[in-house]
Amino acid sequence: YDPGIRFSGSEYERMLKSATGVDVVEAFIAYALGESLTPLADQLKNNIYMLNGQCGLQLFIDSYPGTIKCISGVDNVIAMPEVVKVVQKHNVGYKVPASGDVAQRIFEIVTLTENEKGPIKSTIHAIGQHLSIKNSSGREMMTPMIDIERMFN
């Protein structure tokens, strides 16, 4: 049982605002100040949970253990029109532990694309092509991206 209004985890409110124009952060602040949520409720009636026909993805980019020497391609990912938000969790010099948990997560990337196989696959593929995380030997540390073909079969 959750007795109160609260934000969801990660960056969902950014994706929601990009897809629908609904600013839940603003609405929650207004509510905390005593205003009604009725205007928000009216906006929510318009297929908001379906993101107006779009597909929202949150991609977690993880790394193999080791010390990060170089991170590249971040600006290219940020510039992608499908990308809503990029959160970089660690920087060059971070020693990625062999922990098998979020300590190995280097990026969280929120995307919003057409809700069709082609655009979803293209977005995931482009992110994987742009980003690189290398160690001092020049070896790639980024774990493989989601298997796009398997995802749609």
Side-chain angles (χ1 to χ4, degrees):
Y1 174 70
D2 192 351
I5 294 176
R6 64 180 176 85
F7 295 111
S8 61
S10 57
E11 300 287 333
Y12 188 78
E13 67 278 355
R14 292 178 198 275
M15 184 187 320
L16 188 66
K17 185 174 181 183
S18 292
T20 67
V22 173
D23 188 336
V24 292
V25 174
E26 185 177 289
F28 283 4
I29 291 169
Y31 181 73
L33 295 172
E35 293 181 29
S36 171
L37 283 179
T38 301
L40 177 64
D42 291 340
Q43 288 179 296
L44 293 176
K45 292 177 187 173
N46 297 322
N47 202 17
I48 197 166
Y49 289 108
M50 298 303 291
L51 298 173
N52 284 334
Q54 298 177 82
C55 176
L57 298 173
Q58 180 152 356
L59 302 172
F60 299 132
I61 309 299
D62 296 330
S63 172
Y64 291 115
T67 302
I68 298 173
K69 175 73 174 179
C70 176
I71 297 174
S72 61
V74 180
D75 290 338
N76 292 333
V77 172
I78 291 170
M80 292 174 60
E82 305 86 359
V83 172
V84 175
K85 180 73 175 175
V86 174
V87 177
Q88 185 171 334
K89 307 294 252 175
H90 303 290
N91 295 307
V92 169
Y94 176 68
K95 184 173 171 128
V96 181
S99 59
D101 62 16
V102 296
Q104 289 185 251
R105 183 173 303 154
I106 309 303
F107 292 98
E108 293 179 5
I109 302 173
V110 179
T111 68
L112 193 61
T113 66
E114 294 175 48
N115 194 10
E116 296 178 13
K117 186 185 332 184
I120 294 168
K121 289 167 74 171
S122 294
T123 298
I124 294 170
H125 179 75
I127 290 170
Q129 292 296 304
H130 287 311
L131 279 181
S132 179
I133 304 166
K134 297 205 175 182
N135 66 15
S136 57
S137 302
R139 290 184 56 202
E140 183 60 52
M141 295 177 66
M142 193 168 79
T143 60
M145 295 288 287
I146 187 171
D147 184 343
I148 303 166
E149 295 305 322
R150 187 172 169 206
M151 186 169 106
F152 287 102
N153 289 333

